[in-house]
């Protein structure tokens, strides 16, 4: 009976816009998942059920389910069935976005915990990253970002005081560092380095991780005009996040 209900819901969600049928089936399934009608770990109707009820070919249904599986919406288990996947958050690999907005766009709640927010004397490596003289002041912040109470990013950031002099006076529970920095020093260029790492003991504690869980680390340096604004290390638990990259090319 539950299967019939799911199929009826899917049939009602099918768009009549001109598009290949397999794409219309995919769009309808994605909309059911996005709207919470089909829940994570819920078994979806079988290929045969979908073929019979939607009146489309098995090849069409198979392609739609196969592509949705490769895109992370579904999990297909041989001999068991097809299930709605647990959704992962994502962050844009080649763009600079506000994590609070990313989380809000998924319909979830963002919160954060400020671990450190202080002025330091830049050592030679830190000074080089910020384009300042070694020993000069720099700002340092460490913030854990949460999505629905689950820690999803550890942000360890150095900031150039020459560009953002009031950085330490901001309330980062009501706005993210991104929001403040984009207001006082609009981004004109950036550089990313992405790697897989194992977190240290402190990072595991802050992100509520097991010691052997791999993480995604983005090292991000940004400029406003000719000045370096900030250098950040953004650490994401590998099991809770994925990176999204878009590009244009010639094949």
């Amino acid at each position: 009976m539950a299967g019939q209900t799911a199929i009826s819901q899917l049939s009602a969600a099918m768009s009549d816009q001109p598009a290949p049928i397999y794409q219309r089936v995919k769009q309808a399934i994605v909309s059911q998942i996005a709207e919470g009608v089909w829940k994570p770990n819920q078994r979806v109707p079988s290929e045969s059920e979908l073929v019979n009820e939607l009146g489309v070919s098995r090849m069409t249904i198979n392609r739609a389910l196969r592509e949705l599986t490769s895109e992370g919406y579904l999990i297909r288990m041989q001999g068991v069935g097809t299930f709605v996947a647990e959704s992962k958050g994502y962050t844009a690999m080649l763009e600079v976005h506000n994590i609070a907005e990313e989380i809000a766009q998924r319909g979830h709640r963002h919160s954060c915990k400020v671990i450190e927010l202080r002025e330091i004397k830049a050592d030679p490596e830190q000074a080089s990253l910020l384009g300042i003289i070694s020993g000069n002041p720099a700002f340092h912040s460490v913030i854990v970002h949460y999505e629905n109470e689950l820690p999803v990013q550890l942000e360890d950031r150095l900031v150039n005081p020459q560009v953002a002099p009031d950085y330490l006076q901001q309330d980062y529970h009501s706005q993210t560092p991104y929001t403040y920095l984009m207001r006082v020093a609009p981004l004109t260029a950036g550089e990313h380095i992405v790697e897989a790492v194992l977190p240290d003991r402190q990072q595991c504690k802050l992100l509520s991780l097991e010691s052997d869980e791999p993480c995604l680390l983005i090292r991000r340096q940004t400029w406003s005009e000719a000045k370096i604004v900030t250098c950040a290390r953004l650490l994401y638990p590998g099991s809770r996040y994925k990176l999204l990259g878009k590009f244009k090319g010639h094949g």
Side-chain angles (χ1 to χ4, degrees), residues 5 14 20 31 35 39 51 68 78 89 104-105 108 128 139 151-153 158 163 172 187-188 203 220 249:
T5 302
M14 286 277 286
S31 72
E35 293 169 10
K39 309 291 186 184
V51 167
L68 288 171
Q78 188 68 33
Q105 285 170 3
H108 295 169
S128 176
F139 298 148
V152 294
Q153 185 199 82
L158 291 169
V163 182
Y172 294 117
L187 173 70
T188 57
Q203 291 166 339
R220 177 177 291 162

mmCIF file of all heavy atoms in Angstrom, residues 5 14 20 31 35 39 51 68 78 89 104-105 108 128 139 151-153 158 163 172 187-188 203 220 249:
data_model
loop_
_atom_site.group_PDB
_atom_site.id
_atom_site.type_symbol
_atom_site.label_atom_id
_atom_site.label_comp_id
_atom_site.label_asym_id
_atom_site.label_seq_id
_atom_site.Cartn_x
_atom_site.Cartn_y
_atom_site.Cartn_z
ATOM 1 N N THR A 5 1.072 4.371 -2.726
ATOM 2 C CA THR A 5 1.012 5.789 -2.362
ATOM 3 C C THR A 5 2.192 6.538 -2.939
ATOM 4 O O THR A 5 2.046 7.630 -3.487
ATOM 5 C CB THR A 5 0.987 5.943 -0.832
ATOM 6 O OG1 THR A 5 -0.132 5.241 -0.307
ATOM 7 C CG2 THR A 5 0.905 7.405 -0.437
ATOM 8 N N MET A 14 4.894 14.405 -11.740
ATOM 9 C CA MET A 14 5.489 14.369 -13.085
ATOM 10 C C MET A 14 5.125 15.636 -13.855
ATOM 11 O O MET A 14 3.955 15.989 -13.973
ATOM 12 C CB MET A 14 4.998 13.140 -13.848
ATOM 13 C CG MET A 14 5.618 11.836 -13.383
ATOM 14 S SD MET A 14 7.230 11.534 -14.140
ATOM 15 C CE MET A 14 6.750 11.090 -15.798
ATOM 16 N N PRO A 20 12.787 14.873 -22.284
ATOM 17 C CA PRO A 20 12.830 13.415 -22.362
ATOM 18 C C PRO A 20 12.146 12.802 -21.139
ATOM 19 O O PRO A 20 12.249 13.334 -20.027
ATOM 20 C CB PRO A 20 14.334 13.109 -22.378
ATOM 21 C CG PRO A 20 14.958 14.344 -22.957
ATOM 22 C CD PRO A 20 14.116 15.481 -22.451
ATOM 23 N N SER A 31 12.143 15.936 -6.760
ATOM 24 C CA SER A 31 11.220 16.846 -6.077
ATOM 25 C C SER A 31 10.577 16.164 -4.870
ATOM 26 O O SER A 31 10.372 16.793 -3.826
ATOM 27 C CB SER A 31 10.139 17.349 -7.039
ATOM 28 O OG SER A 31 9.210 16.338 -7.354
ATOM 29 N N GLU A 35 11.274 17.698 -1.155
ATOM 30 C CA GLU A 35 10.134 18.180 -0.371
ATOM 31 C C GLU A 35 9.874 17.312 0.862
ATOM 32 O O GLU A 35 8.950 17.592 1.636
ATOM 33 C CB GLU A 35 8.884 18.222 -1.259
ATOM 34 C CG GLU A 35 8.980 19.273 -2.361
ATOM 35 C CD GLU A 35 7.869 19.149 -3.394
ATOM 36 O OE1 GLU A 35 6.920 18.368 -3.140
ATOM 37 O OE2 GLU A 35 7.959 19.806 -4.442
ATOM 38 N N LYS A 39 11.382 9.948 2.280
ATOM 39 C CA LYS A 39 12.327 10.170 3.371
ATOM 40 C C LYS A 39 13.628 9.397 3.161
ATOM 41 O O LYS A 39 13.641 8.367 2.480
ATOM 42 C CB LYS A 39 11.705 9.731 4.706
ATOM 43 C CG LYS A 39 10.324 10.300 4.984
ATOM 44 C CD LYS A 39 10.374 11.783 5.235
ATOM 45 C CE LYS A 39 8.995 12.309 5.655
ATOM 46 N NZ LYS A 39 9.007 13.779 5.815
ATOM 47 N N VAL A 51 7.215 1.017 -13.907
ATOM 48 C CA VAL A 51 6.873 0.793 -15.315
ATOM 49 C C VAL A 51 5.356 0.650 -15.468
ATOM 50 O O VAL A 51 4.733 1.280 -16.337
ATOM 51 C CB VAL A 51 7.595 -0.459 -15.858
ATOM 52 C CG1 VAL A 51 7.003 -0.879 -17.207
ATOM 53 C CG2 VAL A 51 9.080 -0.190 -16.009
ATOM 54 N N LEU A 68 20.173 8.705 -10.988
ATOM 55 C CA LEU A 68 19.931 9.258 -9.653
ATOM 56 C C LEU A 68 20.811 8.583 -8.610
ATOM 57 O O LEU A 68 21.208 9.208 -7.628
ATOM 58 C CB LEU A 68 18.452 9.104 -9.276
ATOM 59 C CG LEU A 68 17.490 10.039 -10.023
ATOM 60 C CD1 LEU A 68 16.053 9.655 -9.734
ATOM 61 C CD2 LEU A 68 17.741 11.493 -9.661
ATOM 62 N N GLN A 78 21.717 -4.669 -4.377
ATOM 63 C CA GLN A 78 21.423 -5.862 -5.159
ATOM 64 C C GLN A 78 20.580 -6.846 -4.360
ATOM 65 O O GLN A 78 20.930 -7.245 -3.259
ATOM 66 C CB GLN A 78 22.737 -6.536 -5.582
ATOM 67 C CG GLN A 78 22.572 -7.680 -6.564
ATOM 68 C CD GLN A 78 22.102 -7.192 -7.931
ATOM 69 O OE1 GLN A 78 22.454 -6.095 -8.363
ATOM 70 N NE2 GLN A 78 21.305 -8.003 -8.614
ATOM 71 N N GLY A 89 25.475 17.422 2.825
ATOM 72 C CA GLY A 89 25.622 18.821 2.445
ATOM 73 C C GLY A 89 26.722 18.922 1.415
ATOM 74 O O GLY A 89 27.507 18.007 1.223
ATOM 75 N N ALA A 104 21.119 27.207 4.937
ATOM 76 C CA ALA A 104 19.742 27.705 4.878
ATOM 77 C C ALA A 104 19.046 27.281 3.591
ATOM 78 O O ALA A 104 17.849 26.963 3.589
ATOM 79 C CB ALA A 104 19.727 29.227 5.011
ATOM 80 N N GLN A 105 19.788 27.244 2.496
ATOM 81 C CA GLN A 105 19.208 26.838 1.218
ATOM 82 C C GLN A 105 18.759 25.381 1.238
ATOM 83 O O GLN A 105 17.880 24.989 0.471
ATOM 84 C CB GLN A 105 20.222 27.069 0.091
ATOM 85 C CG GLN A 105 20.388 28.528 -0.283
ATOM 86 C CD GLN A 105 21.564 28.771 -1.223
ATOM 87 O OE1 GLN A 105 22.247 27.834 -1.647
ATOM 88 N NE2 GLN A 105 21.805 30.022 -1.567
ATOM 89 N N HIS A 108 17.885 23.904 6.389
ATOM 90 C CA HIS A 108 18.397 23.525 7.694
ATOM 91 C C HIS A 108 18.832 24.758 8.478
ATOM 92 O O HIS A 108 18.899 25.862 7.950
ATOM 93 C CB HIS A 108 19.569 22.550 7.529
ATOM 94 C CG HIS A 108 19.172 21.237 6.928
ATOM 95 N ND1 HIS A 108 20.081 20.302 6.480
ATOM 96 C CD2 HIS A 108 17.939 20.709 6.681
ATOM 97 C CE1 HIS A 108 19.445 19.254 6.004
ATOM 98 N NE2 HIS A 108 18.151 19.475 6.096
ATOM 99 N N SER A 128 53.798 35.613 5.662
ATOM 100 C CA SER A 128 53.903 35.363 4.219
ATOM 101 C C SER A 128 52.523 35.122 3.615
ATOM 102 O O SER A 128 52.220 35.609 2.517
ATOM 103 C CB SER A 128 54.816 34.164 3.969
ATOM 104 O OG SER A 128 54.855 33.849 2.597
ATOM 105 N N PHE A 139 44.999 38.882 12.833
ATOM 106 C CA PHE A 139 43.837 38.388 13.565
ATOM 107 C C PHE A 139 43.670 36.897 13.295
ATOM 108 O O PHE A 139 43.875 36.432 12.165
ATOM 109 C CB PHE A 139 42.574 39.140 13.149
ATOM 110 C CG PHE A 139 42.612 40.616 13.448
ATOM 111 C CD1 PHE A 139 41.948 41.523 12.624
ATOM 112 C CD2 PHE A 139 43.304 41.099 14.549
ATOM 113 C CE1 PHE A 139 41.973 42.883 12.892
ATOM 114 C CE2 PHE A 139 43.340 42.459 14.835
ATOM 115 C CZ PHE A 139 42.673 43.352 14.002
ATOM 116 N N PRO A 151 28.227 19.257 13.741
ATOM 117 C CA PRO A 151 29.352 20.055 13.246
ATOM 118 C C PRO A 151 29.762 19.629 11.836
ATOM 119 O O PRO A 151 30.015 18.451 11.591
ATOM 120 C CB PRO A 151 30.469 19.764 14.262
ATOM 121 C CG PRO A 151 30.092 18.475 14.909
ATOM 122 C CD PRO A 151 28.603 18.417 14.893
ATOM 123 N N VAL A 152 29.808 20.587 10.914
ATOM 124 C CA VAL A 152 30.098 20.270 9.515
ATOM 125 C C VAL A 152 31.314 21.014 8.955
ATOM 126 O O VAL A 152 31.787 20.685 7.871
ATOM 127 C CB VAL A 152 28.877 20.553 8.602
ATOM 128 C CG1 VAL A 152 27.736 19.604 8.932
ATOM 129 C CG2 VAL A 152 28.419 21.997 8.723
ATOM 130 N N GLN A 153 31.807 22.025 9.674
ATOM 131 C CA GLN A 153 32.991 22.728 9.189
ATOM 132 C C GLN A 153 33.753 23.332 10.365
ATOM 133 O O GLN A 153 33.152 23.937 11.257
ATOM 134 C CB GLN A 153 32.625 23.861 8.225
ATOM 135 C CG GLN A 153 33.843 24.541 7.589
ATOM 136 C CD GLN A 153 33.515 25.920 7.010
ATOM 137 O OE1 GLN A 153 33.464 26.922 7.714
ATOM 138 N NE2 GLN A 153 33.266 25.952 5.705
ATOM 139 N N LEU A 158 43.111 33.257 9.320
ATOM 140 C CA LEU A 158 43.985 34.403 9.557
ATOM 141 C C LEU A 158 43.449 35.577 8.756
ATOM 142 O O LEU A 158 43.045 35.406 7.598
ATOM 143 C CB LEU A 158 45.411 34.107 9.115
ATOM 144 C CG LEU A 158 46.201 33.078 9.920
ATOM 145 C CD1 LEU A 158 47.491 32.724 9.172
ATOM 146 C CD2 LEU A 158 46.525 33.618 11.308
ATOM 147 N N VAL A 163 43.310 45.373 6.225
ATOM 148 C CA VAL A 163 42.149 45.349 5.336
ATOM 149 C C VAL A 163 40.838 45.279 6.120
ATOM 150 O O VAL A 163 39.823 45.852 5.711
ATOM 151 C CB VAL A 163 42.254 44.147 4.358
ATOM 152 C CG1 VAL A 163 41.067 44.138 3.395
ATOM 153 C CG2 VAL A 163 43.563 44.193 3.586
ATOM 154 N N TYR A 172 30.103 36.916 15.582
ATOM 155 C CA TYR A 172 30.028 35.886 14.550
ATOM 156 C C TYR A 172 28.957 34.835 14.820
ATOM 157 O O TYR A 172 28.872 33.833 14.098
ATOM 158 C CB TYR A 172 31.406 35.269 14.331
ATOM 159 C CG TYR A 172 32.365 36.290 13.747
ATOM 160 C CD1 TYR A 172 33.493 36.705 14.433
ATOM 161 C CD2 TYR A 172 32.079 36.884 12.521
ATOM 162 C CE1 TYR A 172 34.337 37.674 13.907
ATOM 163 C CE2 TYR A 172 32.911 37.857 11.989
ATOM 164 C CZ TYR A 172 34.036 38.246 12.683
ATOM 165 O OH TYR A 172 34.859 39.218 12.159
ATOM 166 N N LEU A 187 35.627 40.553 -2.394
ATOM 167 C CA LEU A 187 36.536 39.604 -3.021
ATOM 168 C C LEU A 187 36.765 39.929 -4.487
ATOM 169 O O LEU A 187 35.823 40.154 -5.239
ATOM 170 C CB LEU A 187 35.934 38.196 -2.896
ATOM 171 C CG LEU A 187 36.645 37.062 -3.622
ATOM 172 C CD1 LEU A 187 37.972 36.753 -2.957
ATOM 173 C CD2 LEU A 187 35.758 35.825 -3.647
ATOM 174 N N THR A 188 38.026 39.981 -4.894
ATOM 175 C CA THR A 188 38.347 40.157 -6.308
ATOM 176 C C THR A 188 39.143 38.983 -6.882
ATOM 177 O O THR A 188 39.205 38.810 -8.094
ATOM 178 C CB THR A 188 39.152 41.450 -6.538
ATOM 179 O OG1 THR A 188 40.344 41.416 -5.729
ATOM 180 C CG2 THR A 188 38.329 42.673 -6.174
ATOM 181 N N GLN A 203 40.973 18.576 16.472
ATOM 182 C CA GLN A 203 39.996 18.703 15.394
ATOM 183 C C GLN A 203 38.907 17.636 15.515
ATOM 184 O O GLN A 203 37.728 17.918 15.280
ATOM 185 C CB GLN A 203 40.706 18.605 14.044
ATOM 186 C CG GLN A 203 41.596 19.804 13.750
ATOM 187 C CD GLN A 203 42.545 19.555 12.584
ATOM 188 O OE1 GLN A 203 42.834 18.408 12.222
ATOM 189 N NE2 GLN A 203 43.047 20.636 11.994
ATOM 190 N N ARG A 220 42.251 28.227 1.611
ATOM 191 C CA ARG A 220 41.705 29.299 0.764
ATOM 192 C C ARG A 220 42.363 30.626 1.104
ATOM 193 O O ARG A 220 42.381 31.044 2.259
ATOM 194 C CB ARG A 220 40.194 29.391 0.960
ATOM 195 C CG ARG A 220 39.524 30.523 0.190
ATOM 196 C CD ARG A 220 38.034 30.488 0.398
ATOM 197 N NE ARG A 220 37.432 29.334 -0.247
ATOM 198 C CZ ARG A 220 36.226 28.850 0.047
ATOM 199 N NH1 ARG A 220 35.507 29.416 0.991
ATOM 200 N NH2 ARG A 220 35.751 27.815 -0.604
ATOM 201 N N GLY A 249 34.105 23.945 -20.649
ATOM 202 C CA GLY A 249 35.268 23.539 -21.437
ATOM 203 C C GLY A 249 34.829 23.049 -22.794
ATOM 204 O O GLY A 249 33.685 23.228 -23.220
#
